Amino acid sequence: DARKMFNPGENFGMLRNGTVLIIERRHTIINNDTIFLKMWNMHSMTYHLEMVAYNLNTPGRIGVLIDHYLKSETSLNLNDTSQINFSVTADPGSYAPDRFMVVFSTPTFAALPLTFTSVQASKYNNSIKIDWATANETSLKEYNLQKSSSGNNFTNIADINARNTTINNYEWIDAHPAEGYNYYRIEAVNSDGKINYSNVMKLYFGNENQRINIFPNPASENNLNLQLVNECVGKYEIALINSFGQTLMTKTIQYTGGSKIENISPQKNIPKGLYQLEIKMPDGNKKAISVIF
């Protein structure tokens, strides 16, 4: 074992018994083995995390990176490099020292569950290509590729037969992507009707120099911003709408062009959940962005 030497910049290490290590000797991996990660001195930016594993892919073993802040789990490749992007914002949870941990599991009874080892959306000529890889396909009927313009209300755009072999790679090309953000997910349908979903993939298609963003997301009642870049000049009407269709906040801003960041924090208690930020643009068109509080 080797202790981590602290530095004035960002720090990342493994925590065991109150000591931060940069090298850790461990026993043979068993079910529910956990590597507790610790980070500190992080800056408000997007980081690229690489998890590199060699020869850990014993049959049946699964490794996941757990993100306590986003409440998400990302499957790790146990014999290759897994790449994960994460953002640090003004929200304390995004830079919490114990935000991440790695958990290994090795089920010993029953069939192993289907695992999405990777999912990716990328630009391909004038289209968007969806790639996904899986492990432990057993009695799987098909994959349904689903698409959404907002991250909600997904609809099927393609059905792909499952191969039902141990390790598989699939791809599909969306020849008609929408202008702006496109959201995709994979629905795996078992022969007995059970369903398993991949993580949601998000990709911007079109003129990237013209955009409307919100951040941070997840947001809070005191921290929500709207960014306009090279959009139409004029009046923008903002409305925050809950899942019952009720409007919780409205705001009007005057946009004069270029890049502008406008604070649109509700400044009142917002129950936790998923909301829609509806933006009415000067030409009358509307854009809806999902935001989590």
Side-chain angles (χ1 to χ4, degrees), residues 99-157:
R99 176 173 172 175
F100 296 106
M101 67 181 185
V102 175
V103 178
F104 298 97
S105 62
T106 309
T108 55
F109 303 100
L112 295 171
L114 170 74
T115 302
F116 287 95
T117 56
S118 69
V119 290
Q120 181 178 3
S122 57
K123 292 182 180 179
Y124 181 78
N125 296 328
N126 291 320
S127 306
I128 292 178
K129 186 169 72 145
I130 311 301
D131 296 279
W132 68 99
T134 66
N136 307 324
E137 283 186 13
T138 304
S139 301
L140 198 67
K141 179 183 177 183
E142 63 184 2
Y143 292 101
N144 297 324
L145 180 60
Q146 300 183 337
K147 182 177 178 180
S148 169
S149 61
S150 63
N152 288 331
N153 303 320
F154 285 85
T155 57
N156 285 1
I157 58 173

Short mmCIF file of all heavy atoms in Angstrom, two decimals, residues 99-157:
data_model
loop_
_atom_site.label_atom_id
_atom_site.label_comp_id
_atom_site.label_asym_id
_atom_site.label_seq_id
_atom_site.Cartn_x
_atom_site.Cartn_y
_atom_site.Cartn_z
N ARG A 99 -18.33 11.29 -3.24
CA ARG A 99 -19.31 11.20 -4.33
C ARG A 99 -19.27 9.85 -5.05
O ARG A 99 -20.30 9.32 -5.43
CB ARG A 99 -19.06 12.32 -5.34
CG ARG A 99 -19.96 12.25 -6.56
CD ARG A 99 -19.81 13.46 -7.46
NE ARG A 99 -20.53 13.28 -8.72
CZ ARG A 99 -20.67 14.21 -9.67
NH1 ARG A 99 -20.12 15.40 -9.49
NH2 ARG A 99 -21.33 13.95 -10.78
N PHE A 100 -18.06 9.26 -5.22
CA PHE A 100 -17.94 8.06 -6.04
C PHE A 100 -17.45 6.86 -5.24
O PHE A 100 -16.68 6.99 -4.28
CB PHE A 100 -16.94 8.29 -7.18
CG PHE A 100 -17.36 9.34 -8.17
CD1 PHE A 100 -16.74 10.59 -8.18
CD2 PHE A 100 -18.37 9.09 -9.08
CE1 PHE A 100 -17.12 11.55 -9.09
CE2 PHE A 100 -18.76 10.05 -9.99
CZ PHE A 100 -18.14 11.30 -9.99
N MET A 101 -17.89 5.68 -5.66
CA MET A 101 -17.30 4.44 -5.18
C MET A 101 -17.52 3.36 -6.25
O MET A 101 -18.42 3.47 -7.09
CB MET A 101 -17.89 4.00 -3.84
CG MET A 101 -19.34 3.59 -3.86
SD MET A 101 -19.90 3.13 -2.19
CE MET A 101 -21.56 2.56 -2.54
N VAL A 102 -16.65 2.35 -6.23
CA VAL A 102 -16.75 1.23 -7.17
C VAL A 102 -17.18 0.00 -6.39
O VAL A 102 -16.61 -0.30 -5.33
CB VAL A 102 -15.40 0.97 -7.88
CG1 VAL A 102 -15.48 -0.27 -8.75
CG2 VAL A 102 -15.01 2.19 -8.71
N VAL A 103 -18.18 -0.71 -6.91
CA VAL A 103 -18.69 -1.92 -6.24
C VAL A 103 -18.64 -3.07 -7.23
O VAL A 103 -19.06 -2.94 -8.38
CB VAL A 103 -20.14 -1.71 -5.74
CG1 VAL A 103 -20.66 -3.00 -5.10
CG2 VAL A 103 -20.20 -0.58 -4.73
N PHE A 104 -18.10 -4.19 -6.76
CA PHE A 104 -18.06 -5.42 -7.57
C PHE A 104 -19.09 -6.40 -7.03
O PHE A 104 -19.32 -6.49 -5.82
CB PHE A 104 -16.68 -6.07 -7.49
CG PHE A 104 -15.57 -5.21 -8.02
CD1 PHE A 104 -14.79 -4.45 -7.16
CD2 PHE A 104 -15.30 -5.16 -9.37
CE1 PHE A 104 -13.76 -3.65 -7.64
CE2 PHE A 104 -14.28 -4.37 -9.87
CZ PHE A 104 -13.51 -3.61 -9.00
N SER A 105 -19.72 -7.11 -7.93
CA SER A 105 -20.66 -8.15 -7.51
C SER A 105 -20.44 -9.39 -8.37
O SER A 105 -20.11 -9.29 -9.55
CB SER A 105 -22.11 -7.67 -7.63
OG SER A 105 -22.43 -7.36 -8.96
N THR A 106 -20.60 -10.53 -7.74
CA THR A 106 -20.45 -11.80 -8.42
C THR A 106 -21.60 -12.70 -8.01
O THR A 106 -21.49 -13.48 -7.06
CB THR A 106 -19.11 -12.47 -8.07
OG1 THR A 106 -18.05 -11.53 -8.27
CG2 THR A 106 -18.86 -13.70 -8.93
N PRO A 107 -22.76 -12.59 -8.67
CA PRO A 107 -23.89 -13.45 -8.31
C PRO A 107 -23.51 -14.92 -8.45
O PRO A 107 -22.85 -15.32 -9.41
CB PRO A 107 -24.98 -13.05 -9.32
CG PRO A 107 -24.57 -11.69 -9.80
CD PRO A 107 -23.08 -11.67 -9.76
N THR A 108 -23.94 -15.71 -7.51
CA THR A 108 -23.60 -17.13 -7.52
C THR A 108 -24.81 -18.02 -7.80
O THR A 108 -24.66 -19.22 -7.99
CB THR A 108 -22.98 -17.53 -6.17
OG1 THR A 108 -23.88 -17.16 -5.12
CG2 THR A 108 -21.66 -16.83 -5.97
N PHE A 109 -26.00 -17.44 -7.79
CA PHE A 109 -27.19 -18.22 -8.03
C PHE A 109 -28.01 -17.54 -9.12
O PHE A 109 -27.98 -16.34 -9.27
CB PHE A 109 -28.04 -18.36 -6.76
CG PHE A 109 -27.29 -18.97 -5.61
CD1 PHE A 109 -26.77 -18.18 -4.62
CD2 PHE A 109 -27.09 -20.33 -5.56
CE1 PHE A 109 -26.07 -18.73 -3.57
CE2 PHE A 109 -26.38 -20.89 -4.50
CZ PHE A 109 -25.87 -20.09 -3.50
N ALA A 110 -28.74 -18.33 -9.88
CA ALA A 110 -29.63 -17.84 -10.93
C ALA A 110 -28.83 -17.27 -12.09
O ALA A 110 -27.61 -17.10 -12.03
CB ALA A 110 -30.59 -16.79 -10.38
N ALA A 111 -29.53 -16.97 -13.15
CA ALA A 111 -28.87 -16.42 -14.34
C ALA A 111 -28.39 -15.01 -14.08
O ALA A 111 -29.03 -14.25 -13.35
CB ALA A 111 -29.84 -16.44 -15.52
N LEU A 112 -27.27 -14.65 -14.68
CA LEU A 112 -26.73 -13.30 -14.52
C LEU A 112 -27.61 -12.30 -15.26
O LEU A 112 -28.09 -12.59 -16.36
CB LEU A 112 -25.31 -13.23 -15.04
CG LEU A 112 -24.28 -14.06 -14.27
CD1 LEU A 112 -22.96 -14.08 -15.02
CD2 LEU A 112 -24.11 -13.53 -12.88
N PRO A 113 -27.83 -11.11 -14.70
CA PRO A 113 -28.66 -10.12 -15.39
C PRO A 113 -27.95 -9.52 -16.59
O PRO A 113 -26.72 -9.45 -16.64
CB PRO A 113 -28.89 -9.06 -14.31
CG PRO A 113 -27.69 -9.17 -13.42
CD PRO A 113 -27.33 -10.63 -13.41
N LEU A 114 -28.75 -9.11 -17.57
CA LEU A 114 -28.19 -8.42 -18.72
C LEU A 114 -27.47 -7.16 -18.25
O LEU A 114 -27.98 -6.42 -17.41
CB LEU A 114 -29.31 -8.05 -19.69
CG LEU A 114 -28.90 -7.13 -20.83
CD1 LEU A 114 -28.09 -7.88 -21.86
CD2 LEU A 114 -30.13 -6.50 -21.48
N THR A 115 -26.30 -6.91 -18.82
CA THR A 115 -25.53 -5.72 -18.47
C THR A 115 -25.18 -4.94 -19.73
O THR A 115 -24.66 -5.50 -20.69
CB THR A 115 -24.22 -6.10 -17.75
OG1 THR A 115 -24.53 -6.85 -16.58
CG2 THR A 115 -23.43 -4.86 -17.37
N PHE A 116 -25.50 -3.63 -19.73
CA PHE A 116 -25.03 -2.75 -20.79
C PHE A 116 -23.61 -2.32 -20.42
O PHE A 116 -23.41 -1.51 -19.52
CB PHE A 116 -25.94 -1.53 -20.93
CG PHE A 116 -27.28 -1.81 -21.54
CD1 PHE A 116 -28.38 -2.05 -20.76
CD2 PHE A 116 -27.43 -1.84 -22.93
CE1 PHE A 116 -29.62 -2.32 -21.32
CE2 PHE A 116 -28.65 -2.11 -23.51
CZ PHE A 116 -29.75 -2.35 -22.71
N THR A 117 -22.63 -2.87 -21.12
CA THR A 117 -21.24 -2.53 -20.78
C THR A 117 -20.83 -1.18 -21.36
O THR A 117 -19.91 -0.54 -20.86
CB THR A 117 -20.28 -3.62 -21.27
OG1 THR A 117 -20.47 -3.83 -22.68
CG2 THR A 117 -20.55 -4.93 -20.53
N SER A 118 -21.51 -0.73 -22.43
CA SER A 118 -21.26 0.61 -22.96
C SER A 118 -22.43 1.02 -23.85
O SER A 118 -23.05 0.17 -24.50
CB SER A 118 -19.95 0.68 -23.76
OG SER A 118 -20.06 -0.06 -24.96
N VAL A 119 -22.73 2.31 -23.84
CA VAL A 119 -23.72 2.89 -24.76
C VAL A 119 -23.17 4.25 -25.20
O VAL A 119 -22.62 4.99 -24.40
CB VAL A 119 -25.11 3.07 -24.11
CG1 VAL A 119 -25.78 1.74 -23.88
CG2 VAL A 119 -25.01 3.85 -22.80
N GLN A 120 -23.31 4.57 -26.49
CA GLN A 120 -22.72 5.81 -26.99
C GLN A 120 -23.49 6.31 -28.20
O GLN A 120 -23.87 5.53 -29.08
CB GLN A 120 -21.25 5.60 -27.36
CG GLN A 120 -20.55 6.85 -27.88
CD GLN A 120 -19.09 6.61 -28.19
OE1 GLN A 120 -18.61 5.48 -28.09
NE2 GLN A 120 -18.38 7.63 -28.60
N ALA A 121 -23.71 7.61 -28.25
CA ALA A 121 -24.29 8.28 -29.42
C ALA A 121 -23.21 9.20 -29.99
O ALA A 121 -22.59 9.97 -29.25
CB ALA A 121 -25.53 9.07 -29.04
N SER A 122 -22.98 9.14 -31.31
CA SER A 122 -21.94 9.96 -31.92
C SER A 122 -22.40 10.42 -33.30
O SER A 122 -23.22 9.77 -33.96
CB SER A 122 -20.63 9.19 -32.03
OG SER A 122 -20.81 7.99 -32.77
N LYS A 123 -21.85 11.55 -33.76
CA LYS A 123 -22.18 12.06 -35.08
C LYS A 123 -21.53 11.17 -36.14
O LYS A 123 -20.39 10.74 -36.00
CB LYS A 123 -21.70 13.50 -35.22
CG LYS A 123 -22.47 14.48 -34.34
CD LYS A 123 -22.00 15.90 -34.54
CE LYS A 123 -22.78 16.85 -33.64
NZ LYS A 123 -22.34 18.25 -33.77
N TYR A 124 -22.29 10.93 -37.22
CA TYR A 124 -21.82 10.06 -38.29
C TYR A 124 -22.32 10.65 -39.60
O TYR A 124 -23.49 10.50 -39.94
CB TYR A 124 -22.34 8.64 -38.07
CG TYR A 124 -21.89 7.63 -39.12
CD1 TYR A 124 -20.61 7.10 -39.08
CD2 TYR A 124 -22.76 7.23 -40.13
CE1 TYR A 124 -20.20 6.18 -40.02
CE2 TYR A 124 -22.36 6.31 -41.07
CZ TYR A 124 -21.08 5.78 -41.02
OH TYR A 124 -20.68 4.86 -41.96
N ASN A 125 -21.42 11.36 -40.31
CA ASN A 125 -21.80 12.12 -41.50
C ASN A 125 -22.94 13.08 -41.13
O ASN A 125 -22.78 13.89 -40.23
CB ASN A 125 -22.18 11.18 -42.64
CG ASN A 125 -20.99 10.35 -43.10
OD1 ASN A 125 -19.85 10.80 -43.04
ND2 ASN A 125 -21.24 9.13 -43.56
N ASN A 126 -24.09 12.97 -41.77
CA ASN A 126 -25.24 13.81 -41.43
C ASN A 126 -26.25 13.06 -40.59
O ASN A 126 -27.45 13.38 -40.61
CB ASN A 126 -25.90 14.33 -42.72
CG ASN A 126 -25.02 15.33 -43.45
OD1 ASN A 126 -24.36 16.16 -42.83
ND2 ASN A 126 -24.99 15.23 -44.77
N SER A 127 -25.77 12.06 -39.89
CA SER A 127 -26.65 11.22 -39.07
C SER A 127 -26.07 11.09 -37.67
O SER A 127 -25.04 11.68 -37.34
CB SER A 127 -26.79 9.84 -39.72
OG SER A 127 -27.22 9.95 -41.06
N ILE A 128 -26.76 10.32 -36.84
CA ILE A 128 -26.27 9.99 -35.50
C ILE A 128 -26.20 8.48 -35.39
O ILE A 128 -27.17 7.77 -35.70
CB ILE A 128 -27.18 10.57 -34.40
CG1 ILE A 128 -27.09 12.10 -34.40
CG2 ILE A 128 -26.79 10.01 -33.03
CD1 ILE A 128 -27.98 12.77 -33.38
N LYS A 129 -25.03 7.97 -34.98
CA LYS A 129 -24.85 6.52 -34.83
C LYS A 129 -24.93 6.15 -33.36
O LYS A 129 -24.31 6.79 -32.51
CB LYS A 129 -23.52 6.07 -35.41
CG LYS A 129 -23.36 4.55 -35.41
CD LYS A 129 -22.16 4.10 -36.23
CE LYS A 129 -20.87 4.44 -35.54
NZ LYS A 129 -19.81 3.46 -35.72
N ILE A 130 -25.73 5.12 -33.08
CA ILE A 130 -25.89 4.60 -31.72
C ILE A 130 -25.16 3.28 -31.62
O ILE A 130 -25.41 2.36 -32.41
CB ILE A 130 -27.38 4.39 -31.37
CG1 ILE A 130 -28.21 5.62 -31.73
CG2 ILE A 130 -27.54 4.04 -29.90
CD1 ILE A 130 -27.79 6.89 -31.04
N ASP A 131 -24.22 3.18 -30.69
CA ASP A 131 -23.48 1.94 -30.45
C ASP A 131 -23.75 1.48 -29.03
O ASP A 131 -23.76 2.30 -28.09
CB ASP A 131 -21.97 2.15 -30.62
CG ASP A 131 -21.59 2.53 -32.04
OD1 ASP A 131 -21.49 1.62 -32.87
OD2 ASP A 131 -21.41 3.74 -32.31
N TRP A 132 -23.94 0.18 -28.85
CA TRP A 132 -24.04 -0.34 -27.49
C TRP A 132 -23.48 -1.76 -27.44
O TRP A 132 -23.48 -2.49 -28.43
CB TRP A 132 -25.47 -0.30 -26.96
CG TRP A 132 -26.50 -1.20 -27.57
CD1 TRP A 132 -26.95 -2.40 -27.08
CD2 TRP A 132 -27.26 -0.97 -28.78
NE1 TRP A 132 -27.91 -2.92 -27.90
CE2 TRP A 132 -28.13 -2.07 -28.94
CE3 TRP A 132 -27.27 0.05 -29.73
CZ2 TRP A 132 -29.01 -2.18 -30.02
CZ3 TRP A 132 -28.14 -0.04 -30.80
CH2 TRP A 132 -29.00 -1.15 -30.94
N ALA A 133 -22.95 -2.09 -26.29
CA ALA A 133 -22.37 -3.41 -26.05
C ALA A 133 -23.01 -4.00 -24.80
O ALA A 133 -23.35 -3.27 -23.86
CB ALA A 133 -20.85 -3.32 -25.89
N THR A 134 -23.19 -5.32 -24.80
CA THR A 134 -23.85 -5.98 -23.68
C THR A 134 -23.11 -7.24 -23.27
O THR A 134 -22.29 -7.78 -24.03
CB THR A 134 -25.30 -6.36 -24.04
OG1 THR A 134 -25.27 -7.37 -25.07
CG2 THR A 134 -26.09 -5.15 -24.53
N ALA A 135 -23.43 -7.68 -22.09
CA ALA A 135 -22.93 -8.97 -21.59
C ALA A 135 -24.08 -9.70 -20.93
O ALA A 135 -25.05 -9.09 -20.46
CB ALA A 135 -21.78 -8.76 -20.61
N ASN A 136 -23.99 -11.02 -20.89
CA ASN A 136 -24.96 -11.88 -20.21
C ASN A 136 -26.35 -11.87 -20.85
O ASN A 136 -27.35 -11.85 -20.15
CB ASN A 136 -25.08 -11.49 -18.73
CG ASN A 136 -23.76 -11.45 -18.02
OD1 ASN A 136 -22.88 -12.26 -18.29
ND2 ASN A 136 -23.58 -10.49 -17.13
N GLU A 137 -26.38 -11.88 -22.18
CA GLU A 137 -27.68 -12.00 -22.85
C GLU A 137 -28.18 -13.44 -22.71
O GLU A 137 -27.50 -14.37 -23.14
CB GLU A 137 -27.56 -11.65 -24.33
CG GLU A 137 -27.48 -10.18 -24.62
CD GLU A 137 -27.51 -9.88 -26.12
OE1 GLU A 137 -27.84 -10.79 -26.90
OE2 GLU A 137 -27.18 -8.74 -26.50
N THR A 138 -29.34 -13.59 -22.11
CA THR A 138 -29.95 -14.91 -21.96
C THR A 138 -31.45 -14.76 -22.14
O THR A 138 -32.09 -13.96 -21.45
CB THR A 138 -29.66 -15.51 -20.57
OG1 THR A 138 -28.25 -15.55 -20.36
CG2 THR A 138 -30.23 -16.91 -20.45
N SER A 139 -32.02 -15.52 -23.07
CA SER A 139 -33.47 -15.50 -23.33
C SER A 139 -33.96 -14.09 -23.61
O SER A 139 -35.06 -13.70 -23.18
CB SER A 139 -34.23 -16.09 -22.13
OG SER A 139 -33.83 -17.42 -21.89
N LEU A 140 -33.15 -13.31 -24.31
CA LEU A 140 -33.54 -11.94 -24.65
C LEU A 140 -34.25 -11.96 -26.00
O LEU A 140 -33.77 -12.57 -26.96
CB LEU A 140 -32.31 -11.04 -24.70
CG LEU A 140 -32.57 -9.54 -24.62
CD1 LEU A 140 -33.12 -9.15 -23.26
CD2 LEU A 140 -31.29 -8.75 -24.89
N LYS A 141 -35.38 -11.26 -26.08
CA LYS A 141 -36.16 -11.23 -27.31
C LYS A 141 -35.62 -10.20 -28.30
O LYS A 141 -35.32 -10.52 -29.45
CB LYS A 141 -37.62 -10.93 -26.99
CG LYS A 141 -38.52 -10.85 -28.21
CD LYS A 141 -39.94 -10.46 -27.80
CE LYS A 141 -40.83 -10.29 -29.03
NZ LYS A 141 -42.20 -9.85 -28.65
N GLU A 142 -35.49 -8.94 -27.85
CA GLU A 142 -35.09 -7.88 -28.77
C GLU A 142 -34.66 -6.64 -28.01
O GLU A 142 -34.90 -6.51 -26.80
CB GLU A 142 -36.26 -7.51 -29.70
CG GLU A 142 -37.45 -6.94 -28.96
CD GLU A 142 -38.63 -6.65 -29.87
OE1 GLU A 142 -38.54 -6.92 -31.07
OE2 GLU A 142 -39.66 -6.14 -29.35
N TYR A 143 -34.06 -5.72 -28.75
CA TYR A 143 -33.76 -4.38 -28.26
C TYR A 143 -34.65 -3.39 -29.01
O TYR A 143 -34.76 -3.47 -30.24
CB TYR A 143 -32.30 -4.01 -28.50
CG TYR A 143 -31.32 -4.80 -27.67
CD1 TYR A 143 -30.62 -5.88 -28.23
CD2 TYR A 143 -31.09 -4.48 -26.34
CE1 TYR A 143 -29.73 -6.61 -27.48
CE2 TYR A 143 -30.19 -5.22 -25.58
CZ TYR A 143 -29.52 -6.27 -26.16
OH TYR A 143 -28.63 -7.00 -25.42
N ASN A 144 -35.24 -2.47 -28.27
CA ASN A 144 -35.99 -1.37 -28.87
C ASN A 144 -35.19 -0.09 -28.69
O ASN A 144 -34.94 0.32 -27.56
CB ASN A 144 -37.36 -1.21 -28.21
CG ASN A 144 -38.24 -2.44 -28.42
OD1 ASN A 144 -38.19 -3.05 -29.47
ND2 ASN A 144 -39.02 -2.79 -27.42
N LEU A 145 -34.77 0.50 -29.80
CA LEU A 145 -34.07 1.78 -29.73
C LEU A 145 -35.12 2.88 -29.62
O LEU A 145 -36.03 2.97 -30.45
CB LEU A 145 -33.22 1.99 -30.97
CG LEU A 145 -32.43 3.30 -31.03
CD1 LEU A 145 -31.47 3.42 -29.87
CD2 LEU A 145 -31.67 3.41 -32.35
N GLN A 146 -35.01 3.70 -28.58
CA GLN A 146 -36.02 4.72 -28.30
C GLN A 146 -35.40 6.10 -28.35
O GLN A 146 -34.23 6.29 -28.02
CB GLN A 146 -36.66 4.47 -26.94
CG GLN A 146 -37.35 3.12 -26.84
CD GLN A 146 -38.04 2.91 -25.51
OE1 GLN A 146 -37.71 3.52 -24.49
NE2 GLN A 146 -39.02 2.02 -25.50
N LYS A 147 -36.22 7.08 -28.75
CA LYS A 147 -35.74 8.45 -28.95
C LYS A 147 -36.69 9.45 -28.32
O LYS A 147 -37.90 9.22 -28.25
CB LYS A 147 -35.61 8.73 -30.46
CG LYS A 147 -35.06 10.10 -30.82
CD LYS A 147 -34.92 10.22 -32.34
CE LYS A 147 -34.41 11.58 -32.76
NZ LYS A 147 -34.28 11.68 -34.24
N SER A 148 -36.12 10.58 -27.87
CA SER A 148 -36.90 11.66 -27.28
C SER A 148 -36.25 12.99 -27.64
O SER A 148 -35.04 13.07 -27.83
CB SER A 148 -36.98 11.51 -25.76
OG SER A 148 -37.53 12.66 -25.15
N SER A 149 -37.06 14.03 -27.71
CA SER A 149 -36.52 15.37 -27.97
C SER A 149 -36.29 16.15 -26.69
O SER A 149 -35.71 17.24 -26.72
CB SER A 149 -37.48 16.16 -28.88
OG SER A 149 -38.74 16.29 -28.25
N SER A 150 -36.73 15.60 -25.54
CA SER A 150 -36.63 16.34 -24.28
C SER A 150 -36.01 15.52 -23.15
O SER A 150 -35.75 16.05 -22.08
CB SER A 150 -38.02 16.80 -23.84
OG SER A 150 -38.86 15.68 -23.58
N GLY A 151 -35.79 14.23 -23.37
CA GLY A 151 -35.33 13.37 -22.28
C GLY A 151 -36.47 12.68 -21.59
O GLY A 151 -36.26 11.84 -20.72
N ASN A 152 -37.71 13.01 -21.98
CA ASN A 152 -38.92 12.36 -21.47
C ASN A 152 -39.69 11.78 -22.66
O ASN A 152 -39.39 12.08 -23.81
CB ASN A 152 -39.83 13.37 -20.75
CG ASN A 152 -39.25 13.78 -19.41
OD1 ASN A 152 -38.55 13.02 -18.77
ND2 ASN A 152 -39.56 14.99 -18.99
N ASN A 153 -40.70 10.97 -22.36
CA ASN A 153 -41.63 10.49 -23.40
C ASN A 153 -40.90 9.89 -24.60
O ASN A 153 -40.99 10.39 -25.73
CB ASN A 153 -42.55 11.62 -23.85
CG ASN A 153 -43.32 12.24 -22.71
OD1 ASN A 153 -43.78 11.53 -21.82
ND2 ASN A 153 -43.45 13.55 -22.71
N PHE A 154 -40.17 8.82 -24.35
CA PHE A 154 -39.43 8.14 -25.42
C PHE A 154 -40.38 7.33 -26.29
O PHE A 154 -41.37 6.77 -25.82
CB PHE A 154 -38.38 7.21 -24.82
CG PHE A 154 -37.18 7.93 -24.27
CD1 PHE A 154 -37.18 8.44 -22.98
CD2 PHE A 154 -36.04 8.08 -25.04
CE1 PHE A 154 -36.07 9.10 -22.47
CE2 PHE A 154 -34.92 8.73 -24.54
CZ PHE A 154 -34.95 9.25 -23.27
N THR A 155 -40.07 7.29 -27.59
CA THR A 155 -40.83 6.47 -28.54
C THR A 155 -39.88 5.56 -29.30
O THR A 155 -38.71 5.89 -29.53
CB THR A 155 -41.60 7.35 -29.55
OG1 THR A 155 -40.67 8.21 -30.23
CG2 THR A 155 -42.63 8.21 -28.83
N ASN A 156 -40.37 4.39 -29.71
CA ASN A 156 -39.55 3.43 -30.44
C ASN A 156 -39.27 3.92 -31.86
O ASN A 156 -40.19 4.40 -32.54
CB ASN A 156 -40.27 2.08 -30.52
CG ASN A 156 -40.25 1.33 -29.21
OD1 ASN A 156 -39.70 1.80 -28.22
ND2 ASN A 156 -40.84 0.16 -29.19
N ILE A 157 -38.01 3.79 -32.28
CA ILE A 157 -37.68 4.14 -33.67
C ILE A 157 -37.05 2.95 -34.40
O ILE A 157 -36.90 2.99 -35.61
CB ILE A 157 -36.74 5.36 -33.74
CG1 ILE A 157 -35.45 5.11 -32.96
CG2 ILE A 157 -37.44 6.61 -33.26
CD1 ILE A 157 -34.42 6.22 -33.15
#
